[in-house]
Amino acid sequence: SSSSSALLRVVGEEEQARLLRRLHHNAMARDKASKLEANNFVHRQKAIDDMKMDSRMVKEEMRASHADRVMRWTHKLSTNPLAVDLWAEDQMKYEMNRAMDKAAKQRKYINMKQTHQAHCAILDRASSEPDELELLRAEKRRLVQNTKRLKAMRDVEKSNARMAQVFQSKQATELERQQKQLVRAFSSPGL
């Protein structure tokens, strides 16, 4: 039992040494791997930063190049008649024409309304005021009627005067005749 425990101790010591070596070797490998990983990480980050910087530089160069190209072509095409936005220009003209049509319709409506109001005012004034021409015509009709009446009355007076004269002359003639008859009757011997 003591030899087996000594054997275990020897085997155990050998195994322990082997385990320690393995642990030491693993620790060294891990340390080396972590240093290598740290080194790779630094190189990777530098490469990523360099790529990002290159990408930024390329994009900046492309933007500057594009802006330069746009500026050059804008300058070259500034005198081109096709550079104008024809749709916007046509739309603006259309809107102006619509506005002018609307203004013309509004002016026409206002003129029509004013004409109608003036016509109504004339008719109102004509109906509210007596018509002078009609008054003059009525006055003339009255004058003509009065003139006719006066003429008729004069004619009646003349006729009456003539009749009175005829009657007087008849009376005078009759009176004369009667007087002559009386004179004859008194002058006749038979009385």
Side-chain angles (χ1 to χ4, degrees), residues 132-148:
E132 290 182 28
L133 190 59
E134 188 60 38
L135 289 174
L136 289 173
R137 286 181 184 146
E139 184 71 24
K140 187 172 181 179
R141 279 194 297 270
R142 278 194 304 273
L143 283 173
V144 167
Q145 284 176 344
N146 287 341
T147 306
K148 284 181 182 178

Side-chain angles (χ1 to χ4, degrees), residues 16-60:
Q16 258 183 348
R18 196 172 59 82
L19 281 176
L20 280 174
R21 270 194 317 269
R22 185 188 288 169
L23 285 174
H24 177 67
H25 180 51
N26 284 345
M28 293 294 279
R30 271 195 302 274
D31 186 42
K32 195 174 188 180
S34 68
K35 284 181 184 175
L36 192 61
E37 190 176 327
N39 193 19
N40 284 345
F41 178 76
V42 168
H43 284 299
R44 194 177 320 117
Q45 278 307 116
K46 188 175 181 316
I48 288 173
D49 290 344
D50 287 347
M51 283 192 319
K52 284 182 180 178
M53 179 63 87
D54 286 347
S55 176
R56 260 188 259 129
M57 298 270 291
V58 166
K59 284 181 183 176
E60 183 61 31

Side-chain angles (χ1 to χ4, degrees), residues 58-148:
V58 166
K59 284 181 183 176
E60 183 61 31
E61 284 177 17
M62 283 177 62
R63 189 197 60 72
S65 171
H66 181 264
D68 184 46
R69 207 170 33 255
V70 166
M71 190 174 69
R72 270 195 330 256
W73 277 104
T74 303
H75 180 68
K76 283 181 185 180
L77 296 175
S78 63
T79 58
N80 188 346
L82 298 176
V84 177
D85 186 0
L86 297 176
W87 174 257
E89 190 176 303
D90 187 51
Q91 190 70 22
M92 185 177 68
K93 286 180 183 177
Y94 175 74
E95 293 299 328
M96 281 178 25
N97 287 339
R98 294 267 320 251
M100 287 187 337
D101 287 347
K102 186 176 179 183
K105 280 183 184 177
Q106 201 168 15
R107 280 194 304 273
K108 185 178 177 183
Y109 174 74
I110 288 170
N111 286 340
M112 215 168 70
K113 192 173 179 182
Q114 287 174 344
T115 304
H116 181 69
Q117 286 175 343
H119 183 69
C120 287
I122 289 169
L123 288 178
D124 287 346
R125 197 176 317 124
S127 65
S128 67
E129 293 178 1
D131 187 11
E132 290 182 28
L133 190 59
E134 188 60 38
L135 289 174
L136 289 173
R137 286 181 184 146
E139 184 71 24
K140 187 172 181 179
R141 279 194 297 270
R142 278 194 304 273
L143 283 173
V144 167
Q145 284 176 344
N146 287 341
T147 306
K148 284 181 182 178

Side-chain angles (χ1 to χ4, degrees), residues 155-171:
D155 287 348
V156 166
E157 281 179 24
K158 281 182 186 176
S159 168
N160 284 345
R162 231 181 278 133
M163 281 177 66
Q165 196 178 14
V166 167
F167 184 70
Q168 271 184 343
S169 108
K170 274 187 177 181
Q171 265 185 342

